[in-house]
Each structure stands twice: as C-alpha cells, then as structure tokens.
Amino acid sequence: MIPGKKMLQMLSHVAGTEKYENSVLGSIGRILPFRQKDFTFPSYRKFRSKEAGLYLPDPAYDITLDRILQVDFLSSSWFLSAELVKALFIEKPFTFSTGEDLHLSYQLQKYRNAGSFVLPVDPNDKETWGDSEHRLAYVSETTVIFKNIVEVRDNQWWKALSTGYVTQWAAMYPQKIDALFYAHSIDEVKALGPLLEKFRGTVGKKAYIAVSGGKFCPCEDAASALRWPKVVCKERRFKIFDLEVGAILGVSNSEVPVFQAVYSSMKGLIKIHNPSVVITVADADPNVKKALKMATETNSNGTALVLLPRASISKVLWMADLRSTALPNWNKMRVSVNIITQNRAQSLLRLLRSLSNAYYLGDEISLSFNMDSKVDEETINVVSTFDWPHGPKTLRRRIIQGGLIRAVSESWYPASDDDFGLLLEDDIEVSPYYFLWIKYALLAYHYDPQVSFPELSSISLYTPKIVEVVKERPKWNPTDFFKQIHPHTPYLHQLPCSWGAVFFPKQWREFYVYMNMRFTENAKANPVQIPKSRTNGWQASWKKFLIDMMYLRGYVSLYPNFPNQSSFSTNHMEPGAHIAAKDNVVKHNKTDFEVPLLMDDFRNFLPNQKLPPLSKLPSLNLFNMPVSLKGLKAAGAKLGQDVLRCNNVSEIVAVNHQTGLPARCMKF
C-alpha cells in the first residue's frame, strides 16, 4: 500500500466526526456474497457470479466511489481508535493464517457495534488515494491466489455470518422466519427436536436452530441428535448455527464469557432473521436465559422469548400452526385461576390435584381462593397448605355470607385487557390439557392481528350434553350434530359455560355494569324475557344475567367437541347452592352433566390437526340451532330489551370497554 499524502488528513477528519468516531475506516473494502436462488451462499471468489464478493473501489472493473460506503470488511489498511483495536482479541480467531481483516470488522460489529467504511477519493488526485500505485490490483503475491486460503476464508466469513455478523446482504435483505431455537447442550437439542421438526415440516413456516457449539454442544453432535447429516454444519445455507460459545479467549470460571457470547451472537442472528419467537427450554442456564432475553429485547420488530418446560414441548406442536403474526403475542396473556369454595374440602382437593397435573408452558398463573363466610375448617386447611408453584396464590374470605351469585361474579375482575379469568367451582375437575386449549384458542382467535372476532367473550372447557335452556332439556351431542362439517370441529355457542370457562376482560367489565343495572331479586321483574327460554325464571343465577347480555349483544363462547364428549373440565354435580337445594324444582341427573376428561393430546382430533380458521367455525344460538353471527345480533336487536333503546332491525348496544358502560347504538 502506498497511501497518498492527503489520505491521512481525510481519515483524521472523518474519524473526528460524531457519526464515524466509533468506526474503522479504510480505502479498500469488500462486500461479502449475497444469497443465490437455491438459498446457498457462493464462494466470495466465485468467478463471474453476481452473488459473489465485490471489492470497492476496484479500478480493474472501473468501480469508483463518490461517497462514504459501509462494507463488510476492509483490506490492506485500517484507521481506527486504539481503543477499538482491542476488539480483535475478544474471540479466538478462526485461523491465524489469514483473514485478520474480516475478523477485525466482525468483532468490532459484534461486540462494539462499530461499522467498517470506505472513504471516497478524487480520481484525478492521486494524493487522496489509499493506494496511489494501485499495487494491490496487479500484485501477484497475494494470499487469495492459493485455493486452500480461499477455502479457509470462505469458511471464516460463513462462520461470521452464522454467528450473528450482519453483513451488507443481511442489512439490505432482512429475513423473516417464524422461530429461532437455541440449545446449549445435546439434551436441549433432543428436547426441542420435535417442535423444531414440526415447524420445519409445516408449509409456509421457517425455523432454524442455534447451538452453543464448542465444548457445550458440538454442531456435528447436534445434527446427529436431530437425525440431520453432519454436513449441515459445513453447508453455506441457513439451518443450524454453531455459535462456538467457547471461542471467547481466556480460561475463566466467570459466567460473563458465556453470557457475552450468547447475547452478542443471538442479537445479530435475531436482527438478520427477525424470528417471531426465540424458543429454548425453561430450565436453561440462567446466564443463557438472561442473554436470550436481552437479545430478543433488542429487536424492534417484536420477537417473543418462549421458555418451554421440557415435558410440555411435545404437547405444544400446534404452535407451528399459528400465524407468524400471532406468535409474537405468546407472552401477552395473563390467565388467572379463580376458585369458588366453602365446605366441600374433598371436592376441592380433587380440583387442586387436577390443576397441579396440568401443562402450563412456563406461563405465570395466579391462583385465588374465594371463600364465603361459612367456610369450614377443613377447607381453610386445604387452601392454606396448598402449594402453587406457577404464580402468586391469593386467599379471600367474606365476612357476611354473599351467596353464589356474588361468590362467582365477584371472584375475579380484570386488571388489564390481557387479563383472562378462569372461574371454577370446587366440584369441577380439569384435564391436564386445559391450559393448552386456552392458550391455543386465545392465540388463534384473539391475539392474531389478522383475525377480527369481537363477538368472542369466553372459552369453554366443557362440552354440554343437554340443551339446558328449554323445558324438556333434550340430550345434545355435538359430534353427531356437526358430523357433516367435521365430527370434532370446535363450535361457537351463544350460551356461556359455568362449569369451567375463561372469560374475556372487555366483556366481563361489560357484564358487571349490565348486572348492576339489571339485577332484581324477583326474576319476573327482570325486563329481559328471552322468548321460550327457561332462563327467564332463574333467580339465584349469575349465569342468567350473562345469558341475557350475550343474547342481546350477539356474543358467543368457543366450545370443545371431542369423542364421547370428552372435555377439558367436568362437573361432578355435588350438593351445593343449586344441586339438591330444597326449592329447586329441576331434578339433576348426574349422567346428564358428567363428561369424561380429555387425557390425550387434543390436536389429534381437530380438523386437519389444528384449530379451524374463524370462517369455518359453526355458530349456534341459545337453543342449539345453527345461526350466523350476524343472525345472533339480529335476534338480540329484535328483542329490544337492552339497557339502551336502539333500532330493532339493525343496531345493538356498544360499550366503552375500559369502563364497561353502555356508550351508543352500533350498526351490525
């Protein structure tokens, strides 16, 4: 290199500006290869390939620069602060034979967020040139004429790209994948394998895996554990990323090198690939989890970190069937379990055992016990000693007996629009899969920005066996009813469920206001009389008021529908406020209400093994007759008995969802 006399002056000036003070500057740079049509990356020395590397400037091809340009690395001269030189020694170089140029730029970007830039020159003034003799363009003694050196450098730049080096290609063509998995050990690779394969085998989905490499998880061993050929670790295509976490120099018992290596590499990979989710095991090393959390938070496009308990991974394969737009909302929902109990300690114990045996996907689930004033000692002992490892446990006890209406309806109130309440009386029992059903349904129908479904107000865990709102209470079997669509299609129903259901925050606030405006001790004094409905005479029922509101406003619940009416909850119909009450004229037959609990992965029963699109869900009115969502609203409008007077043909009541207060009439 023979620099011109003005070169140092130019470099000093640019480096002194705020924009370029944290940079390395030079006069010759290289752009690394772009991806080819077959999704592989060519050699940076591939002759006459438009995807291969490019020198800037290159007088041999009449390529000149008229502005400062960012490149992937600089060749033959580097101008940078002495402080930045230290970055060259953070990681052990891939090779000591060549490639100090690439290694410097890669380390500077990865650990110091510093870019590499080429300065423009005046073609008519040799004093501004970085190499005034152009010796590099013609010299024969250069490292890259040797084939083995080209191969080493190819491996080196691919290593950089697959450990988070954001090359100019990556910056110009941001990728979009669904999931990026991270495994720190071979055991973690094996645990994550089924979900990774489900993502990779699902049409339209893209997923890659990053492994720690080195002594922790060698890439070839990881490939073997996934039953992939070992050559995937050498191919220049995206599939598996070997982070070589042990490459940071120095032997140390400190956790800092592991944290720094995982964070720095994953931050770059997330920036390049923009995954909807980063997935690892919930029991990962704390430093790895901290590094992944920080790395995902750097992505402004919204990447969610998903920490899955190993036992749940094979149960959550439906995750790959969710839209990419829904996946980043994985951690948004907050589901709380709210138990209503008084003096059925043995029933309560059965419910608590079933809750403890369920899969929770690492989510925090708060648990509250709501006890009326006449709670017995045995129940208090059960509640006080129960250990709940999934989140906070709250105990509430009334001073004055409130009765069932208050006990249930006041057991939960949403703290935000992402707060969902599961209400359970103590004679309910749940399936191990109940929470998976809730999570899947919320992500598919509520948290997918491409789905607009304001009518959905709750998700039922239970499948009814009778039509409870008509006098005769005929038997009902949804498997037979929907067999021409699909025998096990989930369905929408205007009836809310009181035997295990998750209620949505906006509609629950609305219900509070509605019930406050409409509650009467005398059922006949209630202005809402749904034609031919048994619910008109219900007195001691919070559910009656919710039925009225849902009927008037066209709301629906999502119901499961599986073989033998197996459900995510069942009601054991034990004596309480309703069952066997002296003034209860309805005789409750246990066989009409108890259903088997679903003990197998429900995905296997769903149409095409996944939740159907919203447009394919059938909807039923209060009396189990097929009616469209618009038809349900029309029936509510026609009744004309809501808290605001609206047009009986084309309008229903709309509310302020923050307060639940009725706001206006809305056309449907």
Side-chain angles (χ1 to χ4, degrees):
M1 295 289 287
I2 311 293
K5 288 183 180 178
K6 295 179 184 174
M7 190 64 196
L8 197 60
Q9 183 183 343
M10 290 165 54
L11 289 166
S12 301
H13 172 73
V14 173
T17 64
E18 190 178 343
K19 186 173 181 180
Y20 295 105
E21 64 182 357
N22 185 43
S23 304
V24 55
L25 307 173
S27 56
I28 301 173
R30 188 163 184 91
I31 302 288
L32 285 165
F34 282 27
R35 194 167 65 180
Q36 301 178 111
K37 287 176 183 170
D38 67 354
F39 292 97
T40 62
F41 288 82
S43 167
Y44 83 115
R45 278 273 158 186
K46 189 174 180 185
F47 188 58
R48 291 196 174 170
S49 166
K50 64 182 179 185
E51 293 96 358
L54 180 72
Y55 274 120
L56 296 167
D58 194 338
Y61 293 95
D62 290 329
I63 298 172
T64 58
L65 295 180
D66 59 1
R67 59 190 171 88
I68 297 176
L69 191 74
Q70 188 166 3
V71 292
D72 289 321
F73 65 90
L74 297 165
S75 300
S76 306
S77 70
W78 302 265
F79 188 87
L80 68 164
S81 79
E83 178 65 26
L84 289 178
V85 177
K86 297 174 185 175
L88 187 62
F89 306 105
I90 296 175
E91 284 184 18
K92 183 180 177 182
F94 178 76
T95 173
F96 285 96
S97 306
T98 179
E100 74 295 338
D101 45 11
L102 172 63
H103 186 70
L104 176 64
S105 289
Y106 159 58
Q107 295 288 279
L108 282 173
Q109 189 205 83
K110 186 171 179 179
Y111 295 106
R112 299 298 296 268
N113 204 25
S116 302
F117 297 89
V118 176
L119 268 56
V121 299
D122 181 349
N124 301 316
D125 184 358
K126 286 180 87 171
E127 299 301 334
T128 66
W129 295 4
D131 182 14
S132 58
E133 302 298 321
H134 280 322
R135 293 182 72 247
L136 267 186
Y138 309 110
V139 73
S140 58
E141 291 303 315
T142 174
T143 53
V144 295
I145 61 172
F146 301 109
K147 188 171 185 291
N148 64 327
I149 291 293
V150 173
E151 190 178 331
V152 168
R153 287 177 72 92
D154 269 342
N155 289 338
Q156 183 190 19
W157 77 256
W158 174 250
K159 188 80 232 160
L161 182 60
S162 59
T163 51
Y165 187 35
V166 185
T167 65
Q168 292 308 292
W169 169 82
M172 290 167 66
Y173 297 99
Q175 303 298 292
K176 182 72 192 107
I177 66 172
D178 296 277
L180 178 58
F181 289 77
Y182 178 80
H184 203 66
S185 67
I186 295 299
D187 279 349
E188 290 179 20
V189 173
K190 290 174 180 171
L192 294 166
L195 187 55
L196 173 63
E197 286 307 310
K198 177 67 170 70
F199 265 102
R200 292 184 63 83
T202 301
V203 176
K205 290 287 189 286
K206 273 188 182 175
Y208 309 136
I209 185 168
V211 296
S212 55
K215 62 180 182 182
F216 300 105
C217 182
C219 185
E220 284 81 3
D221 293 354
S224 297
L226 293 166
R227 297 188 181 86
W228 293 353
K230 290 183 179 181
V231 72
V232 297
C233 294
K234 299 280 187 269
E235 287 176 331
R236 287 197 293 273
R237 69 164 65 237
F238 297 137
K239 189 168 183 179
I240 188 167
F241 304 117
D242 180 354
L243 304 192
E244 288 196 357
V245 166
I248 291 185
L249 286 173
V251 178
S252 166
N253 291 327
S254 165
E255 66 273 11
V256 173
V258 167
F259 169 81
Q260 188 181 27
V262 174
Y263 167 68
S264 303
S265 290
M266 290 298 286
K267 179 185 68 168
L269 289 176
I270 289 167
K271 189 170 183 180
I272 294 167
H273 299 285
N274 292 290
S276 296
V277 284
V278 169
I279 302 172
T280 194
V281 292
D283 61 344
D285 179 286
N287 295 301
V288 168
K289 283 198 276 195
K290 189 163 73 171
L292 293 176
K293 183 174 186 290
M294 280 181 60
T296 53
E297 286 170 355
T298 61
N299 187 18
S300 57
N301 293 332
T303 296
L305 175 62
V306 177
L307 303 168
L308 291 175
R310 298 189 194 214
S312 299
I313 292 171
S314 62
K315 315 294 182 192
V316 77
L317 301 184
W318 45 260
M319 193 176 181
D321 295 316
L322 292 165
R323 278 202 189 93
S324 303
T325 47
L327 284 170
N329 295 316
W330 183 268
N331 298 319
K332 268 197 174 177
M333 67 196 72
R334 291 282 172 269
V335 177
S336 59
V337 177
N338 306 278
I339 296 172
I340 298 95
T341 188
Q342 180 167 268
N343 52 15
R344 295 188 291 203
Q346 292 310 306
S347 302
L348 178 60
L349 272 169
R350 179 183 57 213
L351 169 60
L352 295 177
R353 272 194 298 270
S354 68
L355 287 167
S356 296
N357 291 333
Y359 299 104
Y360 288 104
L361 305 180
D363 288 37
E364 182 181 274
I365 313 290
S366 60
L367 178 70
S368 77
F369 291 94
N370 301 274
M371 300 169 280
D372 225 331
S373 65
K374 294 178 182 174
V375 60
D376 61 19
E377 187 180 351
E378 190 182 0
T379 301
I380 289 176
N381 285 335
V382 169
V383 166
S384 303
T385 57
F386 179 65
D387 179 44
W388 181 247
H390 305 290
K393 182 178 92 169
T394 308
L395 275 57
R396 296 194 196 96
R397 182 179 177 180
R398 282 183 171 274
I399 293 173
I400 299 168
Q401 191 77 358
L404 196 59
I405 286 186
R406 290 181 182 87
V408 175
S409 57
E410 294 177 11
S411 65
W412 169 74
Y413 193 81
S416 75
D417 285 349
D418 295 307
D419 194 7
F420 298 82
L422 171 61
L423 309 188
L424 298 170
E425 292 183 46
D426 53 19
D427 61 346
I428 306 292
E429 187 179 4
V430 297
S431 149
Y433 293 87
Y434 89 89
F435 182 74
L436 304 186
W437 164 252
I438 295 167
K439 182 102 172 173
Y440 187 13
L442 280 174
L443 285 162
Y445 300 129
H446 185 75
Y447 279 105
D448 185 346
Q450 295 185 49
V451 175
S452 176
F453 195 2
E455 298 87 359
L456 187 61
S457 64
S458 58
I459 297 167
S460 173
L461 306 182
Y462 176 83
T463 310
K465 293 172 82 173
I466 60 168
V467 183
E468 63 175 310
V469 299
V470 297
K471 191 176 180 181
E472 301 78 14
R473 296 197 305 162
K475 294 275 198 295
W476 154 256
N477 187 327
T479 301
D480 289 342
F481 192 87
F482 294 117
K483 63 186 174 191
Q484 291 184 318
I485 300 172
H486 186 284
H488 303 307
T489 180
Y491 62 97
L492 305 171
H493 198 354
Q494 204 171 19
L495 180 79
C497 177
S498 55
W499 295 321
V502 171
F503 295 95
F504 287 25
K506 291 179 180 178
Q507 286 84 356
W508 194 256
R509 290 189 202 108
E510 193 177 334
F511 168 56
Y512 258 54
V513 172
Y514 178 86
M515 193 164 165
N516 190 22
M517 297 173 87
R518 284 295 170 83
F519 181 76
T520 55
E521 293 288 351
N522 177 4
K524 290 176 182 171
N526 189 310
V528 182
Q529 299 291 310
I530 298 171
K532 300 178 182 172
S533 175
R534 264 184 66 237
T535 61
N536 295 328
W538 291 0
Q539 288 175 312
S541 174
W542 63 277
K543 186 173 169 182
K544 177 241 182 326
F545 294 96
L546 187 53
I547 288 170
D548 290 353
M549 188 188 90
M550 288 178 68
Y551 187 90
L552 291 166
R553 296 177 189 173
Y555 291 152
V556 289
S557 292
L558 177 73
Y559 277 80
N561 170 22
F562 295 114
N564 305 317
Q565 287 173 277
S566 297
S567 300
F568 299 105
S569 68
T570 190
N571 183 354
H572 290 290
M573 299 300 289
E574 284 156 353
H578 284 318
I579 312 304
K582 287 177 186 173
D583 57 350
N584 194 339
V585 295
V586 177
K587 293 286 180 271
H588 292 92
N589 186 342
K590 204 171 179 180
T591 57
D592 288 341
F593 297 93
E594 257 188 321
V595 294
L597 286 174
L598 197 72
M599 304 306 278
D600 296 312
D601 191 343
F602 60 86
R603 195 176 67 93
N604 300 324
F605 302 115
L606 292 171
N608 300 317
Q609 295 196 314
K610 59 186 176 184
L611 282 176
L614 173 60
S615 59
K616 294 278 198 289
L617 288 176
S619 54
L620 305 176
N621 71 3
L622 197 55
F623 306 98
N624 292 51
M625 304 301 294
V627 179
S628 69
L629 294 179
K630 190 171 182 180
L632 296 178
K633 290 191 181 81
K638 185 180 178 185
L639 192 59
Q641 294 171 354
D642 209 332
V643 292
L644 292 181
R645 285 280 169 204
C646 295
N647 183 307
N648 281 26
V649 178
S650 61
E651 292 181 336
I652 54 172
V653 171
V655 304
N656 176 329
H657 280 303
Q658 281 307 113
T659 61
L661 290 165
R664 58 190 171 85
C665 295
M666 178 180 68
K667 286 194 178 297
F668 60 86

